[in-house]
Amino acid sequence: MSEKIEAETATPKGKLEVEEAEHHEHTDDISPELEILLHTDPTTGLTSAEAAKRLATFGPNQLAEVKRNPFLKFLSYFTGAIAYLIEVACVISAVVKDWLDFGIILGLLLVNAAIGFIEESKAESALDALRQTLALKTRCWRDGHLVELDVAALVPGDIIVLRLGDIVPADGRLLGIGATGEATEGDLLIDQSALTGESLPVAKNKGKTVYSSSIVKQGQQMAVVTKTGGDTFIGRAANLISITTEEGHFQKIINRIGNFLILITVVLVVIIMVYQLVRFHGDADGRGEFLTVLRKVLVLTVAAIPVGLPTVMSVTMAVGAKQLAAKKVIVKRLTAVEEMASVSVLCSDKTGTLTLNELTFDEPYLTNGYASNDILLYSYLAAEPGANDPIESAVRYAAEEQLDILKNRTHKHEVPGYKVTSFLPFNPATKLTQATITRLDNNSTFKVAKGAPQVIIHLVGGDDDAVRAVNSLAKRGLRALGVARTVEGNMNQWELIGMISLIDPPRPDSAETIQRCNKMGVSVKMITGDQLIIAKEVAHRLGMERVMLDAGHLVDSDKSEDEITEHCLRADGFAHVIPEHKYRVVELLQKRGVLVGMTGDGVNDAPALKKANVGIAVHGCTDAARSAADIVLLAPGLSTIVDGLMTSRAIFQRMRSYALYRITSTVHFLMFFFVVVMAYDWSLPAHLLILICILNDLATLVIAVDNAQISEHPDKWRIGQLITMSIVLGLCLTALSFAHFYTFWKVFDYAPVDDKAPYEDRKLESIMYLHISSAPHFVIFSTRLTGYFWENLPSPIFAIVIIGTQIIALLMVALGGLTPKVPAGEAVIVLLISFVYFIILDVVKVHIFRLWSFELTANLVPTPGRRHKLAGRKSGKIQQDRVWNSIDQVRKIAVMTAVVSSLQEHAEHAPTAEAK
């Protein structure tokens, strides 16, 4: 027996109306040529012949697959400025038949490539993952028959049937009719959160667009296919991923360092080579022969260039990646470990990243003396059991979690003390559910209704306060549901209980993570496809500012790119964005020199994740997001991002320390040997030079586990500062080398003789070997940080290995064998001088860092770009000072006004007191 819902016929108690929240949805442009193809008869569909013709025109409904050859990927690790120089040295070694050098250099190249290749071998193709999100089969009308078809065979104009649980196989336009042509009541409820970031399912009716890979949550309708393959919403995301093949930030830095080292190495070595060929031309000992000279300069080149630089960098990042893996942060692209340290803006998706991506019960509006537990209980009684609806699921979950009466039940579908005698499920026409309930303790019967706020308010005869509450909730982006029941003894008189409010809430750790990121100098921006009002509400709950802009600001034709970029820099986030918008935000920020991190979990985030300097896929993400990202979080929430920032900044400090040490060593080595080779045709034997190179770089690998001073702000590679510091320290070391060279030559009579002299007369080789091995190596204790070395002492293992390496060099010199034997006392003095000298250089380093500024750089090397940037900074500071001066003036006026007001009040009260 069916029941009718009867509203009270009395005069309404209110005249206000509920404001319908407007849903802003991205619309696709359909060209006139394509529109002509979309007027297919929905009862018959396309013919097989027409479908084949269109398939030839538009291609299959699948994403283009691009796979990279693993062998070519391995070869890519042999590219870059330093790698090219090392490879040239390797080839020359083979030409002059120096097989020892050839084997060592080739081994280092292979080790470096293997580390990078193995660490990144787990990375998947983002396009493959996007293909996984698509449906495999669909129901389609062809030749007058409803057939099951591979989605790849769909073409524009095909008529498809969409039902509950289906994955939409292509972009389509809803026709408003069922599978057999009957009219349908109600909307199709579509979950497109993975595409657009919207937290709530979207109700769509006739004429609206459904997107490929979204999911049907409720209803049934036919649709005509409008776009397929790469032309779909998800296809455009795939195209953005495929065109993003930029060189990584870290690779650019390494190449810039490499270019500098190559320049000074090649210039000096070529000068030496030409000079030797000319000077010793026709020499009886053959010193002027091309291969002899080539062999000599090859040894200098191999010893000078940082053959271990790529390997040390790779090992340091690999150790960091292992540390992060222990914290459930998986690094897919090794260089992302370093780049994360320099990220100053973190663009974060909202739905599923900052929020839980699930509707939950929020603070309700209550009236007529009802409590929060009451509205939960009555909502549960009016909830449809087993309904696959996110709102119903949220209501049931909240009631079961909070109401004691629903805990520890024998039968999950029963409510102790109550019995549902009749139930009317949700009807799109009435927009509510209704249940008739019998209370078992007194056998009284009443009705409960739950539905759209305006319907429930009308049911109870109107209520202006409730309307205001609903409108207030809507303006904050909260979804409201009205709940009412009949009064005792009258089944036709309804009484309002209140309004349920539902929201996709922030994750428990999101607000704290944002605060910690801000303290570390990382600005967090929310980039979401959800509605603007919802974005503002979530931002408020996360403690962010509410400067949220609509995505229209990103594509405003009336604004220049600089103006749009300013919006990106100053706004706290953007709402109603599509994948192209997220990609553009990242792109514009990068053009301003900002290193951008991007977090996300959906297909719509994949292009921006790929474009960002560091793409971070969060826990529970789609395959597309996981594959496009550089880093994947295995634990829920964003708190592990802070762990990633801390670890990456520690790794950055270690890598910068090694880079400064290694460039300093190269500058020192080249300057010293350039002079002594040109002036005295003297150099260390090849085996000693190679020994310095290999032993010191191998020992320096332990920098990967050294203590690091973590910066409070994003780190940045200041190449000019790095090279300038290296040159200054290199000059200081060169001065010390000449002091050793001339002191032991002139005072101790250790003359610079060639390798044909008696072995015992070549003691200068031993002294200079020990000095050149130890003095630059001890400098790494200083380059570890910008302050004094004692402010953050090295780890015990690091100190032991570095000092131990030089003790080995000391024993070699004192005991003889590979080098001529020298008195142990002299060797110890050389080593002690090297150790003390690094402390002197530490003071020099600190003062250079303190004097260094952008203004100094702009004045020393006044390029147009630097001059413009410096002028902008100065004008900005002047403007900022004016603002603060104005604020100070306002504060002074406010204080003076308060004082005057206080004096006036005191004066007014004084006569009254005297009169009393």
Side-chain angles (χ1 to χ4, degrees), residues 481-496:
L481 276 181
V483 182
R485 61 158 288 174
T486 56
V487 298
E488 293 288 344
N490 188 344
M491 294 287 281
N492 295 321
Q493 185 179 350
W494 291 87
E495 179 181 57
L496 183 65

Side-chain angles (χ1 to χ4, degrees), residues 516-528:
R516 292 177 68 187
C517 286
N518 290 338
K519 287 180 181 178
M520 296 179 73
V522 179
S523 172
V524 180
K525 297 181 185 294
M526 183 193 298
I527 315 291
T528 177

Side-chain angles (χ1 to χ4, degrees), residues 841-880:
L841 292 184
D842 191 59
V843 176
V844 174
K845 173 208 69 180
V846 170
H847 281 81
I848 292 176
F849 274 127
R850 286 178 179 175
L851 291 172
W852 193 272
S853 66
F854 179 75
E855 185 172 355
L856 176 66
T857 308
N859 291 329
L860 290 176
V861 188
T863 62
R866 285 177 178 168
R867 286 200 302 266
H868 177 72
K869 190 174 181 180
L870 181 61
R873 287 188 178 184
K874 286 182 176 179
S875 62
K877 188 177 185 306
I878 292 171
Q879 186 176 359
Q880 189 178 40

Side-chain angles (χ1 to χ4, degrees), residues 23 190-194 196-202 217 349-352 355-360 390-391 477-479 502-505 528-531 534-535 538:
H23 180 267
I190 300 289
D191 178 3
Q192 53 189 37
S193 59
T196 64
E198 293 171 284
S199 53
L200 298 171
V202 180
K217 288 293 186 179
D349 173 50
K350 177 185 72 69
T351 308
T355 66
L356 295 170
N357 194 20
E358 57 185 43
L359 284 179
T360 59
I391 294 175
L478 275 70
R479 175 69 65 89
L502 298 167
I503 191 172
D504 176 17
T528 177
D530 217 337
Q531 305 300 300
I534 297 176
V538 173

Side-chain angles (χ1 to χ4, degrees), residues 501-519:
S501 62
L502 298 167
I503 191 172
D504 176 17
R507 290 182 181 273
D509 62 345
S510 291
E512 182 189 357
T513 300
I514 290 172
Q515 289 178 1
R516 292 177 68 187
C517 286
N518 290 338
K519 287 180 181 178

